[in-house]
Amino acid sequence: MIERKSTIKKLIAIGVLTLLFVILTLLSGSSDVCEFFATTFARAWIYVFGHIFSVLPFSAYELFLIAAIVLAIVFVVYLFVFWVKRKWNRLLSMTLIAIITVFTFLNIYTATATMTYNRCELPDEIYTRYSSNDLTFDEALELANIIIDGANEAYEQTEHNSAGNIVYPFSFDELCNMMKDEYKCLDNKYFSSYTPSGKRIINKTIMSELHITGVFFAPFGEANINGNENNLYLPQTLAHEIAHSKGVMREYQADIVSYYVLLQSNNQYLRYGAYVKCLSAALNIVSLYPDSQSEYDNLQSRIDDRIFLERKNYSEFYGQFHHLDDLGEFFNDLYLKLQKQPDGTGSYVKPGEIIDTGEVDNDDKPIVEVLSFSGVQNLLITMYKQGKLK
């Protein structure tokens, strides 16, 4: 009789949790509802649990992931044992508990993360869409030169080892504190006021094999960084994951926010990686204009060769991890699509909109009309017009 009542209670709990999940999933299709959740429930949850888990000197997300895997294995073993021994009541009870646990997690994650993926666009002051009509060729050249000069200057003013890789004069904890100060430049209410510290993943080899450099876990409010991520793009990776904690879950938007913050920094160690990341986008803006090949080649030649070497070193370092990269790509793509990002891992980049006019220029290149520049290019143009590029 007691077991029957317990089973009924579990079934009722499953019914309620399932209904809640369905309701949240349906509501996530409305950007207005998602904006409400992002600025209220999700923001409050991340603030509270981010502070709670910040006292731990290790990643709670990593511990949670390991525990989940171990418990899943134990669960399967027990199910098999109960099945063999025909202990149907225990089998049913354990299965129901597992279902309750899964749906509880799904509801929390949907309310704190999935909703935020589908909120309104970034504020215009940070991101505005521009076309080729909004930027003259001379302005495009000036913008590209600013980024190149910034990257070259940042390289000269930062320490590098004999291999050409950057050496940071501060610890990871110091970097986290510095990043909190940098993020104070976001004073728009669109962003949460809470900025968490980063956590480094101990199982860095597995994370590297999966080609994952960072993970933000909304239920714990943690910005987690791959332990191998210790050189060229470390500040940018940390800034990207922190952007998620500020309420920016879409991947290309998190990149945009991280560049917006870092390119305004007075610290060359923080700016350097962001400059390097933006070089290609800045040069590509110039290449979209007719008769630009000679100017493009000149800009390319102005980039310090040591920067190309460092980018090559970074690519070769992660290139050695190739056993699980396809698996990592598959699960990341699946995860993003489940968050209603139809492009999956393609959503890390916001492509531009270009029309081929059918004509060619004096360099024998197609003449195009840019209806909208790419995501990063729009950010650079926004900052350029605001005078915020240094």
Side-chain angles (χ1 to χ4, degrees):
M1 186 66 177
I2 296 177
E3 289 183 351
R4 183 181 178 184
K5 287 183 177 180
S6 176
T7 299
I8 292 174
K9 289 180 180 179
K10 291 185 179 71
L11 288 173
I12 292 174
I14 290 173
V16 172
L17 290 170
T18 303
L19 178 61
L20 178 59
F21 178 68
V22 171
I23 292 173
L24 288 173
T25 301
L26 292 175
L27 289 175
S28 67
S30 167
S31 61
D32 290 335
V33 172
C34 290
E35 185 68 21
F36 173 78
F37 266 84
T39 56
T40 54
F41 181 83
R43 184 169 294 182
W45 182 285
I46 291 171
Y47 178 89
V48 172
F49 284 90
H51 277 90
I52 292 174
F53 288 105
S54 67
V55 301
L56 300 178
F58 54 86
S59 169
Y61 161 75
E62 183 175 18
L63 180 62
F64 168 80
L65 198 60
I66 294 172
I69 293 172
V70 171
L71 288 175
I73 294 173
V74 171
F75 172 73
V76 171
V77 171
Y78 267 95
L79 283 186
F80 178 76
V81 171
F82 290 153
W83 179 275
V84 171
K85 293 185 177 182
R86 299 179 181 276
K87 294 183 177 181
W88 308 121
N89 287 334
R90 289 195 177 184
L91 179 65
L92 176 60
S93 178
M94 180 169 277
T95 301
L96 295 179
I97 291 173
I99 294 173
I100 290 173
T101 302
V102 169
F103 271 99
T104 298
F105 172 78
L106 287 176
N107 283 321
I108 292 173
Y109 198 86
T110 301
T112 57
T114 303
M115 288 291 191
T116 308
Y117 269 102
N118 300 298
R119 66 182 301 198
C120 300
E121 297 290 337
L122 290 170
D124 290 341
E125 65 195 61
I126 292 178
Y127 181 75
T128 303
R129 283 164 51 99
Y130 292 100
S131 71
S132 52
N133 294 326
D134 301 313
L135 190 75
T136 67
F137 181 58
D138 288 340
E139 288 175 328
L141 285 175
E142 184 179 19
L143 190 161
N145 276 301
I146 290 174
I147 298 299
I148 293 172
D149 290 341
N152 289 342
E153 182 181 335
Y155 186 95
E156 288 291 346
Q157 295 182 8
T158 51
E159 181 182 352
H160 290 72
N161 60 24
S162 58
N165 299 322
I166 193 169
V167 178
Y168 295 104
F170 41 75
S171 67
F172 183 72
D173 287 340
E174 290 172 331
L175 171 61
C176 291
N177 291 329
M178 293 162 62
M179 201 65 72
K180 289 181 179 180
D181 288 334
E182 297 297 340
Y183 259 94
K184 291 178 181 177
C185 72
L186 297 181
D187 57 0
N188 191 295
K189 292 183 179 180
Y190 181 91
F191 305 100
S192 169
S193 61
Y194 173 62
T195 305
S197 292
K199 298 284 189 72
R200 301 196 89 156
I201 296 295
I202 297 175
N203 292 284
K204 57 187 180 181
T205 301
I206 296 177
M207 201 169 182
S208 297
E209 288 287 358
L210 292 169
H211 280 206
I212 298 174
T213 56
V215 175
F216 172 69
F217 192 57
F220 292 170
E222 281 188 339
N224 298 279
I225 307 299
N226 186 339
N228 273 329
E229 188 73 359
N230 57 5
N231 49 13
L232 179 56
Y233 300 127
L234 173 60
Q236 194 275 324
T237 301
L238 177 58
H240 174 101
E241 300 308 329
I242 288 177
H244 288 321
S245 75
K246 307 290 282 187
V248 185
M249 288 301 290
R250 294 180 195 171
E251 299 298 341
Y252 83 89
Q253 290 182 339
D255 265 348
I256 286 172
V257 171
S258 70
Y259 297 146
Y260 179 82
V261 170
L262 294 179
L263 290 175
Q264 296 184 70
S265 174
N266 291 319
N267 189 310
Q268 292 285 33
Y269 282 92
L270 301 188
R271 294 164 62 186
Y272 176 59
Y275 272 127
V276 174
K277 280 261 191 176
C278 291
L279 279 170
S280 296
L283 266 65
N284 182 255
I285 292 177
V286 173
S287 72
L288 293 172
Y289 290 80
D291 305 321
S292 59
Q293 189 61 51
S294 62
E295 295 288 359
Y296 178 89
D297 292 340
N298 178 58
L299 291 169
Q300 186 88 359
S301 67
R302 292 192 56 244
I303 301 174
D304 194 317
D305 288 338
R306 294 172 295 181
I307 293 177
F308 290 115
L309 173 62
E310 187 163 13
R311 289 201 308 192
K312 179 173 176 288
N313 290 344
Y314 184 85
S315 297
E316 288 180 348
F317 174 78
Y318 272 102
Q320 68 181 308
F321 302 104
H322 54 80
H323 298 94
L324 301 175
D325 53 334
D326 289 340
L327 182 64
E329 170 74 14
F330 170 79
F331 280 112
N332 195 18
D333 184 72
L334 177 62
Y335 163 76
L336 290 171
K337 288 178 178 177
L338 288 174
Q339 306 312 309
K340 297 188 177 180
Q341 305 302 300
D343 294 329
T345 50
S347 63
Y348 279 86
V349 177
K350 179 70 171 178
E353 297 178 38
I354 299 173
I355 296 178
D356 189 338
T357 65
E359 302 177 1
V360 295
D361 62 12
N362 293 321
D363 299 320
D364 203 30
K365 293 194 315 179
I367 297 178
V368 300
E369 179 184 355
V370 181
L371 301 181
S372 175
F373 290 99
S374 73
V376 175
Q377 289 171 340
N378 279 322
L379 167 73
L380 295 178
I381 296 170
T382 299
M383 295 185 71
Y384 168 75
K385 288 182 176 291
Q386 294 174 346
K388 291 182 177 179
L389 288 179
K390 300 181 180 182

